[in-house]
Amino acid sequence: MGSQKDNLLVDVAIGLAAGFVATKVTEFAQEALYRPMPESVKQAEEAVRPGPPPEVAARKTMQAIGHPLGQQKLKFATMAVHYGLGVGWGPLYGLLRRQSRMQPLGAGFVTGAAMSLIVDEALTPALGFSAPSRAYPNITHVRGLVAHLVYGAAAALAAESLYRLLNVSPDSEAGRTELPSRGPNGA
């Protein structure tokens, strides 16, 4: 049996890895969801959007601390913001699983929905990294929510796979426990 500190470290480590996987999967989902959008929606979004939010966040943050970035460093900082957020959000999944006793799919969807609502709909516009939420077409918000639900589902799948590979579980009463071993036929 592990201590609560050990459980937390396992959940955070698994969450970080799951957040990376979920970020990569979400990139594909966002692209697939954007492609069929009507041209009028794409134009309306571009008309109000100050730029890709991770790039705007990187540029504004570095300017605020007195360190404007050249084009090459801006690309790196943009990727750091994008992956930093996605990877950093991943541990929420493990905490929901262990602390709230949520099942994998529910914890995944709450993780993704929370990211959509807190980050996309609230913080990003509040910090000036995007236009105000009301400036975007409604379908933009629906597309964003769906993409973040994909993030949550991918985080759940990745985390549960890692829990299984490490032979630990967030489901037990005492916290970390070994999962039942499986024979060659899964029995």
Side-chain angles (χ1 to χ4, degrees):
M1 292 287 158
S3 70
Q4 281 189 328
K5 181 180 175 186
D6 290 341
N7 294 336
L8 177 63
L9 291 175
V10 167
D11 290 341
V12 169
I14 286 175
L16 292 170
F20 177 78
V21 170
T23 300
K24 292 302 290 179
V25 170
T26 303
E27 289 171 357
F28 292 113
Q30 287 172 324
E31 186 178 315
L33 291 166
Y34 183 77
R35 230 178 289 127
M37 286 290 112
E39 205 52 46
S40 61
V41 170
K42 293 176 182 179
Q43 290 172 357
E45 290 175 3
E46 286 305 312
V48 298
R49 186 178 144 184
E55 181 180 308
V56 175
R59 190 175 355 93
K60 284 187 171 195
T61 301
M62 296 312 286
Q63 285 173 343
I65 62 172
H67 191 69
L69 299 171
Q71 199 58 34
Q72 190 62 25
K73 287 183 180 178
L74 179 60
K75 283 182 184 180
F76 177 77
T78 297
M79 293 307 288
V81 168
H82 173 69
Y83 282 99
L85 176 62
V87 169
W89 201 264
L92 175 61
Y93 174 82
L95 296 174
L96 286 171
R97 285 283 283 124
R98 187 176 305 277
Q99 301 303 319
S100 73
R101 319 306 277 164
M102 294 181 85
Q103 292 302 305
L105 194 56
F109 283 156
V110 168
T111 298
M115 183 183 224
S116 181
L117 295 172
I118 294 168
V119 176
D120 276 11
E121 299 296 332
L123 289 177
T124 300
L127 294 170
F129 301 155
S130 73
S133 289
R134 68 185 173 282
Y136 292 95
N138 290 335
I139 192 70
T140 302
H141 302 287
V142 172
R143 189 178 74 235
L145 176 60
V146 170
H148 285 94
L149 292 176
V150 168
Y151 172 94
L157 182 59
E160 293 303 318
S161 296
L162 289 169
Y163 282 124
R164 178 68 65 184
L165 282 171
L166 295 172
N167 206 31
V168 296
S169 174
D171 287 325
S172 73
E173 280 299 313
R176 184 175 167 203
T177 61
E178 291 189 15
L179 296 169
S181 61
R182 296 194 177 250
N185 297 30

